[in-house]
Amino acid sequence: MSEASVRRLLAAVTTVGGDLDAPEVLRGLVRSAAELTGARHGAFVANGAGHGLPGLVTDGDDDPLRHGLAGLLDERPGPWRPADLRRHPALAALRSLLVVPVRARGTEYGYVCLGDEHAGRFGRDDEDAVGALAAAAGTALRHAARLERTTLRSRWLEASHEVTTALLGGEDPAAALHLIAERAREVSGASVGAVARPRPGDEDRLVFDVVETNDATAERVTGLAVSTHGTATGEAFSTGKPVVVRDYGRRAADYQHDAAGVTLPPPVAALDSAVAVPLTVGSATLGVLLVAKVDDKAPFSDEDVRLVQNFAGQAALALEFARAGEDRQRLAVFEDRERIAHDLHDLVIQRLFAIGLGLEALGRLTTDPRTSEQVSGFVTDLDRTIRDIRNSIFSLQEPAEAPGGLRSELLRVALDHAPALGFEPRIGFEGPLDTAVPEAVRPDLLAALREALGNAARHARATSVAVEVSVDRSGHTVTLTVTDDGTGVPEDLPPREGLRALAGRAARWGGTSSVCPAPGRGTKLEWTARLPRSGE
């Protein structure tokens, strides 16, 4: 090899080995190898492992190597200068061929192939020169792969940090789930990122309620339910281990059609390679993170799966931590409400009760009937105020999401009618409602309250409504009284279906239902039911 050839070889090696972008390395390898040997045609062919490299890189669209190398490279690993190309019709236009493997530290990436129409174009010097160039390219590809893996890990760490920061910063968990799906899709290079979670009340179904895509696919996939048995997503949820599949959409479509006779929407059927990773915290699985490609059958590598799994684990931990923070805040609110309730009971009610006793004593000392009547009215107002405060104490001590007893259900019905009324009705309780009123009577009592408040909202044009629910001292009767300050009861009030229903519900329990003018102004409805005793 001449000194000039050596200098050209060193320059080519420096150029090829100095690049860390794999496609550029391969293009430089093909171009430099052709220039060094004087070959008219050059190509790089990736081996079966792929390594994320382009399958074929040539120096022109009309290159005869583009379609002629299929099957040829299986005959011999190279370096190779086949003497007879007549057995390969696709390469009939060529008289010379040189094949050199591209390797680095035991990893084979593919082959650089050079062709020419002149016989005997390539000699031993050409083989050595291209071999040195291929070795430099292999080292460059190895470094490029390491840099790509490092960059990818860094992007996954950034995505995890973004999700954690959002959750710890008070981000709504539902919005955080969309962020998890979107960042997983972007970083993995997938077409779809989605989160499937268990369907409430159905342990055998997972619902894709969070879907992020780079097109309009999300609208057609969101809400799709899959079984926890026989599907990749279900297997990941059930086993707690990642599941990698090819032809995800076809498999899902076949299973869905066989199991339920339902055809999946085209965007789902078009999904190819996919990985389903459980969102696991300790022994609990919150759902499944799925990333999938469209029209790409190259499977996710083991490294890809590990990175997605690490991201999913950190995201699930952040979700659980955020949920625990919400629980702590809720507990703090309940504790504060409990403290307020105790202060109202121990301070305010006791003082009001003492004031009421003092007023009663003062009323007995006076000889003026008018003054005695006024004092009696003040005492009655104090008693009503004490009942209202006790109701407020009860509502403070009752958790908002708890099923609660009868009092909480009555409170909830009253508050539900506030928008229709334009104000919150005042509600008071007396007697052991939660223990004395049996389960069988409660639906009719609640329905009676709904009907009474509905009538007030529709017909009364009232500015205030007072509700009193009481059980007598003997525990035999529950009484519902609803009083408003509206337009009152028309003298020619025709029988209404709602009033007849109220009377029927009362009669079912041996009670009564009546509507009459309220003292002063408005309407008063009174509904009673006899409470069945044990054994009745």
Side-chain angles (χ1 to χ4, degrees), residues 134-148:
T139 301
L141 290 174
R142 178 171 174 270
H143 291 323
R146 293 178 63 181
L147 177 61
E148 184 178 358

PDB file of all heavy atoms in Angstrom, residues 134-148:
ATOM      1  N   ALA A 134     -13.743  -0.624   8.579  1.00  0.00           N
ATOM      2  CA  ALA A 134     -14.884  -1.273   9.230  1.00  0.00           C
ATOM      3  C   ALA A 134     -14.669  -1.367  10.739  1.00  0.00           C
ATOM      4  O   ALA A 134     -15.613  -1.207  11.529  1.00  0.00           O
ATOM      5  CB  ALA A 134     -15.115  -2.657   8.638  1.00  0.00           C
ATOM      6  N   ALA A 135     -13.401  -1.637  11.158  1.00  0.00           N
ATOM      7  CA  ALA A 135     -13.107  -1.689  12.596  1.00  0.00           C
ATOM      8  C   ALA A 135     -13.341  -0.337  13.249  1.00  0.00           C
ATOM      9  O   ALA A 135     -13.899  -0.242  14.359  1.00  0.00           O
ATOM     10  CB  ALA A 135     -11.665  -2.153  12.811  1.00  0.00           C
ATOM     11  N   ALA A 136     -12.920   0.729  12.580  1.00  0.00           N
ATOM     12  CA  ALA A 136     -13.147   2.083  13.115  1.00  0.00           C
ATOM     13  C   ALA A 136     -14.642   2.386  13.184  1.00  0.00           C
ATOM     14  O   ALA A 136     -15.139   2.980  14.153  1.00  0.00           O
ATOM     15  CB  ALA A 136     -12.438   3.116  12.243  1.00  0.00           C
ATOM     16  N   ALA A 137     -15.365   1.963  12.139  1.00  0.00           N
ATOM     17  CA  ALA A 137     -16.823   2.189  12.151  1.00  0.00           C
ATOM     18  C   ALA A 137     -17.495   1.397  13.270  1.00  0.00           C
ATOM     19  O   ALA A 137     -18.415   1.887  13.933  1.00  0.00           O
ATOM     20  CB  ALA A 137     -17.405   1.802  10.792  1.00  0.00           C
ATOM     21  N   GLY A 138     -17.037   0.140  13.490  1.00  0.00           N
ATOM     22  CA  GLY A 138     -17.615  -0.663  14.566  1.00  0.00           C
ATOM     23  C   GLY A 138     -17.406  -0.012  15.911  1.00  0.00           C
ATOM     24  O   GLY A 138     -18.323   0.026  16.767  1.00  0.00           O
ATOM     25  N   THR A 139     -16.178   0.518  16.164  1.00  0.00           N
ATOM     26  CA  THR A 139     -15.918   1.214  17.428  1.00  0.00           C
ATOM     27  C   THR A 139     -16.796   2.456  17.554  1.00  0.00           C
ATOM     28  O   THR A 139     -17.352   2.747  18.628  1.00  0.00           O
ATOM     29  CB  THR A 139     -14.428   1.612  17.506  1.00  0.00           C
ATOM     30  OG1 THR A 139     -13.623   0.432  17.420  1.00  0.00           O
ATOM     31  CG2 THR A 139     -14.138   2.332  18.810  1.00  0.00           C
ATOM     32  N   ALA A 140     -16.943   3.194  16.457  1.00  0.00           N
ATOM     33  CA  ALA A 140     -17.795   4.389  16.478  1.00  0.00           C
ATOM     34  C   ALA A 140     -19.251   4.022  16.755  1.00  0.00           C
ATOM     35  O   ALA A 140     -19.954   4.713  17.503  1.00  0.00           O
ATOM     36  CB  ALA A 140     -17.676   5.144  15.149  1.00  0.00           C
ATOM     37  N   LEU A 141     -19.721   2.914  16.144  1.00  0.00           N
ATOM     38  CA  LEU A 141     -21.101   2.476  16.393  1.00  0.00           C
ATOM     39  C   LEU A 141     -21.279   2.071  17.860  1.00  0.00           C
ATOM     40  O   LEU A 141     -22.329   2.333  18.462  1.00  0.00           O
ATOM     41  CB  LEU A 141     -21.448   1.307  15.480  1.00  0.00           C
ATOM     42  CG  LEU A 141     -21.597   1.623  13.991  1.00  0.00           C
ATOM     43  CD1 LEU A 141     -21.800   0.346  13.189  1.00  0.00           C
ATOM     44  CD2 LEU A 141     -22.769   2.585  13.766  1.00  0.00           C
ATOM     45  N   ARG A 142     -20.260   1.418  18.425  1.00  0.00           N
ATOM     46  CA  ARG A 142     -20.338   1.023  19.836  1.00  0.00           C
ATOM     47  C   ARG A 142     -20.433   2.254  20.733  1.00  0.00           C
ATOM     48  O   ARG A 142     -21.252   2.310  21.653  1.00  0.00           O
ATOM     49  CB  ARG A 142     -19.116   0.188  20.197  1.00  0.00           C
ATOM     50  CG  ARG A 142     -19.053  -0.254  21.647  1.00  0.00           C
ATOM     51  CD  ARG A 142     -17.926  -1.253  21.845  1.00  0.00           C
ATOM     52  NE  ARG A 142     -17.777  -1.568  23.258  1.00  0.00           N
ATOM     53  CZ  ARG A 142     -16.982  -0.893  24.092  1.00  0.00           C
ATOM     54  NH1 ARG A 142     -16.250   0.120  23.625  1.00  0.00           N
ATOM     55  NH2 ARG A 142     -16.901  -1.214  25.359  1.00  0.00           N
ATOM     56  N   HIS A 143     -19.602   3.264  20.455  1.00  0.00           N
ATOM     57  CA  HIS A 143     -19.663   4.493  21.246  1.00  0.00           C
ATOM     58  C   HIS A 143     -20.992   5.221  21.035  1.00  0.00           C
ATOM     59  O   HIS A 143     -21.559   5.784  21.982  1.00  0.00           O
ATOM     60  CB  HIS A 143     -18.505   5.414  20.870  1.00  0.00           C
ATOM     61  CG  HIS A 143     -17.164   4.894  21.301  1.00  0.00           C
ATOM     62  ND1 HIS A 143     -16.971   4.216  22.484  1.00  0.00           N
ATOM     63  CD2 HIS A 143     -15.935   4.960  20.699  1.00  0.00           C
ATOM     64  CE1 HIS A 143     -15.700   3.878  22.607  1.00  0.00           C
ATOM     65  NE2 HIS A 143     -15.044   4.312  21.521  1.00  0.00           N
ATOM     66  N   ALA A 144     -21.463   5.219  19.788  1.00  0.00           N
ATOM     67  CA  ALA A 144     -22.746   5.871  19.504  1.00  0.00           C
ATOM     68  C   ALA A 144     -23.885   5.194  20.263  1.00  0.00           C
ATOM     69  O   ALA A 144     -24.779   5.862  20.786  1.00  0.00           O
ATOM     70  CB  ALA A 144     -23.017   5.846  17.999  1.00  0.00           C
ATOM     71  N   ALA A 145     -23.845   3.846  20.320  1.00  0.00           N
ATOM     72  CA  ALA A 145     -24.881   3.112  21.049  1.00  0.00           C
ATOM     73  C   ALA A 145     -24.828   3.435  22.541  1.00  0.00           C
ATOM     74  O   ALA A 145     -25.864   3.609  23.195  1.00  0.00           O
ATOM     75  CB  ALA A 145     -24.720   1.612  20.815  1.00  0.00           C
ATOM     76  N   ARG A 146     -23.599   3.515  23.102  1.00  0.00           N
ATOM     77  CA  ARG A 146     -23.470   3.850  24.516  1.00  0.00           C
ATOM     78  C   ARG A 146     -23.973   5.261  24.789  1.00  0.00           C
ATOM     79  O   ARG A 146     -24.660   5.507  25.782  1.00  0.00           O
ATOM     80  CB  ARG A 146     -22.004   3.722  24.949  1.00  0.00           C
ATOM     81  CG  ARG A 146     -21.499   2.291  24.924  1.00  0.00           C
ATOM     82  CD  ARG A 146     -20.044   2.217  25.318  1.00  0.00           C
ATOM     83  NE  ARG A 146     -19.824   2.662  26.695  1.00  0.00           N
ATOM     84  CZ  ARG A 146     -18.641   2.714  27.267  1.00  0.00           C
ATOM     85  NH1 ARG A 146     -17.547   2.339  26.573  1.00  0.00           N
ATOM     86  NH2 ARG A 146     -18.512   3.119  28.503  1.00  0.00           N
ATOM     87  N   LEU A 147     -23.639   6.207  23.899  1.00  0.00           N
ATOM     88  CA  LEU A 147     -24.117   7.575  24.062  1.00  0.00           C
ATOM     89  C   LEU A 147     -25.636   7.636  23.965  1.00  0.00           C
ATOM     90  O   LEU A 147     -26.303   8.336  24.742  1.00  0.00           O
ATOM     91  CB  LEU A 147     -23.487   8.478  22.998  1.00  0.00           C
ATOM     92  CG  LEU A 147     -23.951   9.946  23.013  1.00  0.00           C
ATOM     93  CD1 LEU A 147     -23.596  10.606  24.340  1.00  0.00           C
ATOM     94  CD2 LEU A 147     -23.354  10.712  21.831  1.00  0.00           C
ATOM     95  N   GLU A 148     -26.198   6.877  23.025  1.00  0.00           N
ATOM     96  CA  GLU A 148     -27.659   6.861  22.869  1.00  0.00           C
ATOM     97  C   GLU A 148     -28.335   6.300  24.120  1.00  0.00           C
ATOM     98  O   GLU A 148     -29.350   6.825  24.587  1.00  0.00           O
ATOM     99  CB  GLU A 148     -28.038   6.037  21.646  1.00  0.00           C
ATOM    100  CG  GLU A 148     -29.532   6.047  21.357  1.00  0.00           C
ATOM    101  CD  GLU A 148     -29.884   5.263  20.108  1.00  0.00           C
ATOM    102  OE1 GLU A 148     -28.956   4.738  19.456  1.00  0.00           O
ATOM    103  OE2 GLU A 148     -31.082   5.164  19.795  1.00  0.00           O
TER     104      GLU A 148
END
